[in-house]
Amino acid sequence: MAITLLNPDGLPEIDVYRQVSIASGSKLVFIAGQVAWDAEGVTVGAGDLAAQVERCYLNIGTALAGAGGSFDDVAKLTVHVVDWTPDKMPLLLEGISRAAAKLGVTPVPPATLLGVAALDIPEHLVEIEAVAVLD
């Protein structure tokens, strides 16, 4: 495996992600920001942040598989949430949990969460991009 995830001493231990990702592979995979579109480009979960987060993670899983990888290869995630407030965290975590169960993984690479004013279309509440490293 090309990715080692860890929480070094001296940094807080966060349940939903690790602070550091060490990549030793040779093939970088950059996945465009994924929104809650199905394969036909129809928005899934209009108005439902958890459903949209789940779909974004499933789309990332599909993209990773297309590149010959899986969530085990993810070095970094960046999550953009429209009108972010801390009270939305349970919905974000619910969506991640549901996707993890469907994918059979525990996605915990380092992640950055950003609040944004808007995304490409008004129905999209979240967009998630990923960087992976494959052997």
Side-chain angles (χ1 to χ4, degrees):
M1 181 180 327
I3 301 293
T4 302
L5 303 174
L6 63 114
N7 281 317
D9 290 338
L11 293 178
E13 193 164 314
I14 309 295
D15 290 341
V16 296
Y17 67 87
R18 302 298 175 260
Q19 295 281 9
V20 175
S21 173
I22 301 168
S24 61
S26 58
K27 181 178 178 182
L28 292 176
V29 179
F30 297 90
I31 298 173
Q34 296 297 302
V35 293
W37 276 335
D38 65 13
E40 287 75 42
V42 175
T43 299
V44 174
D48 183 343
L49 180 61
Q52 290 198 17
V53 169
E54 177 183 2
R55 187 66 209 198
C56 291
Y57 271 81
L58 294 175
N59 288 349
I60 290 169
T62 299
L64 288 164
S70 72
F71 262 96
D72 289 336
D73 302 306
V74 174
K76 175 80 167 65
L77 294 169
T78 304
V79 180
H80 303 86
V81 180
V82 174
D83 297 325
W84 174 257
T85 56
D87 63 312
K88 293 181 181 179
M89 184 61 81
L91 294 171
L92 180 73
L93 296 176
E94 178 186 337
I96 293 169
S97 178
R98 291 189 332 213
K102 287 182 179 176
L103 294 165
V105 300
T106 304
V108 293
T112 299
L113 173 61
L114 301 168
V116 298
L119 293 171
D120 60 335
I121 61 171
E123 292 81 17
H124 291 161
L125 305 175
V126 62
E127 182 170 335
I128 305 172
E129 60 187 57
V131 177
V133 181
L134 307 177
D135 285 326

